[in-house]
Amino acid sequence: MPSRRAFLAALTAIAGCTNRSAESTRTATATPTPATGSVPVRWRHETPHDALDVVSLAPGADGPAVYVGSDGGGEGEDGHAIHAVDPADGTERWRVSLPNPVVTEPVYAEGEAGPRVYVATRRASDAAELYALDPSRGTRVWGFDAPERRRVFLLGATDETVFVGTRDDDQSRSGETIHALAAEDGHERWRVESGDALPTGHAVRGETLVVRTPARVRALDVTTGAERWRVDSPTVMYGPAVDARGERLVVGYDSAVRALGLADGHERWRRDVDFTISGVLTPRAAASRTAFVADRAGRLLALSPLDGTTRWTLSVDADAFRPHVARTSERLFVGGPGVYALDPVSGEREWSFTPPAVDVSVHAATVVFAAVGRDRIHALDPASGAERWRFAPGPILAGPATAGDLAFVGVGGTVYALDGRTAANSRLDRR
């Protein structure tokens, strides 16, 4: 499986490209669009669908790809499908028809069976299906049917196995199953009893699968499914956040933050708090060696994952604070009721951007993108916070996915690569 470092390096190269060779043999369905008095658009890709449900960025057989999950109303060329689009120029690499719309971001892995892209879809019967796709050929390899009235969540993958968990509408600590399926043909390697799978909080680290279910985190052996350890909470559990070295998990519950050893689940340290925890998280960046704990009343504590000491605290004017964080080499960006740019070492606030919104997610690289729900997206200068443009075309936005100075979003049946390097002459805002 490609390393995250290699994936990010490929994205950096793509984000810096403005021209591609005309000799590509892929389907050239993208239309380059100049920036003339509107948001700068690097390219746009038209699909034959009325709506896009998923726009995400992940590795692919030919390098990183923008994966687009379309909902066109039925199986067939113009029905439900997933498309792989080149992030550099918008040409379509392949598309695979599916009986139902994709509802999860794709997970990519490769091994002896070849490259695989895994996606989960929705069914009208309230059950879900998992599909394994071959991105080198653009074909379906196998499918997995969930039990009746169950949904499927992708928990992670290795080069040989993909892990999925089931859930229903009645969340509990039991009554569901984790399945380990072979990448080659989908046969079941093992299964274990579980609580309801949650959308996030899972990770594969070496030979360990970390699974988050209601008020519980477990570590399973990826080969056998044997439980190595578990931690239960009497209340809601937040996290886990995995430290940069992959040695500790940080979780929050029962008025305390705890660091657990990944190998054995033993408590490395405990930090009691006098506030209501609303999140435990860490940026998706190799350089990050900080765990962040959110206070529902509007504070963010930066803790050392080694001993739990507080490095700094950010206070914002917010109730029900549920922040997002993103890290570059120079700054930490916190999303919540706005976007806050901080020095990652001292926590000193450099600038803030506070649009009228309840919750803002932040994506940062060479440009900062602030997404306000599925309503609009802003491009901000990372050094000053100045708004370069906003994109609010009216229909619900799918995405965003970001790489360098590009943001990929879906509007109706069209995917746009928005260029955040320069300011627009006027905002593309039809409302």
Side-chain angles (χ1 to χ4, degrees):
M1 190 170 354
S3 68
R4 178 164 176 78
R5 186 184 300 273
F7 177 53
L8 293 176
L11 291 183
T12 300
I14 288 171
C17 294
T18 56
N19 296 302
R20 294 275 291 186
S21 170
E23 298 176 358
S24 172
T25 59
R26 293 189 286 255
T27 307
T29 58
T31 304
T33 305
T36 54
S38 63
V39 173
V41 178
R42 185 81 60 87
W43 52 257
R44 69 177 66 189
H45 176 80
E46 305 283 348
T47 76
H49 311 283
D50 296 329
L52 303 178
D53 292 328
V54 173
V55 175
S56 66
L57 196 65
D62 298 321
V66 179
Y67 292 97
V68 182
S70 308
D71 182 358
E75 188 171 13
E77 181 178 353
D78 296 336
H80 307 296
I82 183 168
H83 304 243
V85 177
D86 191 313
D89 58 16
T91 55
E92 184 174 278
R93 293 176 178 171
W94 50 262
R95 77 174 69 169
V96 175
S97 295
L98 297 169
N100 293 286
V102 172
V103 294
T104 62
E105 294 187 356
V107 172
Y108 178 87
E110 60 181 63
E112 292 184 2
R116 293 288 184 266
V117 170
Y118 302 102
V119 294
T121 65
R122 182 175 63 241
R123 275 205 310 227
S125 62
D126 290 331
E129 297 170 298
L130 175 79
Y131 288 97
L133 314 177
D134 183 341
S136 65
R137 300 181 180 182
T139 58
R140 269 191 263 177
V141 182
W142 52 263
F144 169 77
D145 290 340
E148 185 178 359
R149 303 192 67 81
R150 292 295 192 274
R151 282 171 284 175
V152 168
F153 287 96
L154 285 159
L155 309 180
T158 66
D159 55 352
E160 298 180 348
T161 309
V162 59
F163 308 98
V164 298
T166 64
R167 67 172 289 181
D168 58 15
D169 293 329
D170 183 19
Q171 291 192 26
S172 69
R173 298 189 187 190
S174 61
E176 300 297 333
T177 307
I178 296 172
H179 303 265
L181 309 174
E184 181 179 9
D185 55 13
H187 77 265
E188 188 174 83
R189 297 187 186 278
W190 52 258
R191 69 166 68 183
V192 297
E193 184 275 338
S194 174
D196 286 74
L198 299 177
T200 60
H202 319 290
V204 176
R205 293 291 185 272
E207 297 300 310
T208 302
L209 170 67
V210 178
V211 179
R212 176 178 170 240
T213 56
R216 175 178 292 163
V217 61
R218 305 168 71 190
L220 307 178
D221 185 288
V222 296
T223 303
T224 65
E227 183 176 274
R228 294 179 170 172
W229 54 263
R230 75 167 62 183
V231 173
D232 290 323
S233 163
T235 59
V236 175
M237 180 182 291
Y238 293 96
V242 183
D243 72 0
R245 297 177 180 177
E247 297 175 352
R248 292 176 175 83
L249 306 177
V250 181
V251 296
Y253 64 91
D254 200 23
S255 300
V257 182
R258 297 167 170 87
L260 311 175
L262 179 62
D264 54 19
H266 291 168
E267 193 172 285
R268 299 295 192 262
W269 53 259
R270 170 176 172 154
R271 168 81 180 273
D272 293 321
V273 297
D274 59 358
F275 55 81
T276 301
I277 298 172
S278 59
V280 175
L281 58 163
T282 191
R284 297 175 63 183
S288 177
R289 298 187 183 278
T290 305
F292 298 94
V293 179
D295 174 356
R296 182 179 175 86
R299 291 190 304 159
L300 184 69
L301 279 66
L303 305 184
S304 166
L306 298 179
D307 57 16
T309 56
T310 301
R311 291 173 172 168
W312 49 259
T313 301
L314 169 71
S315 296
V316 301
D317 184 13
D319 294 322
F321 186 42
R322 296 291 300 273
H324 318 266
V325 292
R327 171 76 190 270
T328 67
S329 60
E330 297 180 343
R331 294 175 183 86
L332 177 78
F333 300 94
V334 179
V339 177
Y340 307 88
L342 313 175
D343 182 293
V345 177
S346 67
E348 181 181 356
R349 188 186 303 192
E350 297 184 3
W351 56 260
S352 61
F353 175 77
T354 53
V358 176
D359 184 55
V360 180
S361 62
V362 61
H363 310 262
T366 54
V367 175
V368 177
F369 295 101
V372 182
R374 300 190 71 180
D375 177 65
R376 65 187 186 274
I377 184 171
H378 304 257
L380 309 176
D381 185 298
S384 67
E387 183 183 45
R388 292 175 175 171
W389 49 254
R390 73 178 60 174
F391 184 69
I396 294 176
L397 289 177
T402 64
D405 50 33
L406 295 178
F408 307 99
V409 298
V411 181
T414 302
V415 185
Y416 295 87
L418 307 178
D419 193 334
R421 292 176 301 172
T422 57
N425 294 331
S426 63
R427 294 168 180 160
L428 181 56
D429 191 341
R430 298 175 190 158
R431 295 179 305 159

